[in-house]
Amino acid sequence: PGTQAAPFRTLRHAIEMSVTHPCRFQVLVSAGTYDETVHLASGVSLWGQYDPVTWARSGANTTIIASPD
């Protein structure tokens, strides 16, 4: 469902779902490496550096998008 308890498995899916929801224009991304190509939709922002357990944001949490393209 795209919640803290049950996040989407891919950034692509999260972005697609944010486009269809009138109030979700930010995609919050937990620390980790994401091996996928990201195409941001107009009006959607990605925000990384979130702890995957507490969802607290910190510069110590590294979020990497490693596009295979």
Side-chain angles (χ1 to χ4, degrees):
T3 63
Q4 289 178 351
F8 293 124
R9 296 184 134 204
T10 66
L11 299 177
R12 178 181 175 175
H13 186 64
I15 292 166
E16 289 171 352
M17 294 307 294
S18 70
V19 170
T20 64
H21 195 284
C23 298
R24 290 187 183 174
F25 53 90
Q26 296 177 336
V27 175
L28 307 183
V29 185
S30 70
T33 300
Y34 298 84
D35 296 321
E36 59 182 292
T37 300
V38 172
H39 299 282
L40 282 178
S42 179
V44 176
S45 300
L46 286 180
W47 291 82
Q49 299 182 314
Y50 286 90
D51 181 281
V53 176
T54 65
W55 283 94
R57 191 164 191 237
S58 168
N61 301 323
T62 302
T63 302
I64 298 170
I65 300 172
S67 176
D69 294 336

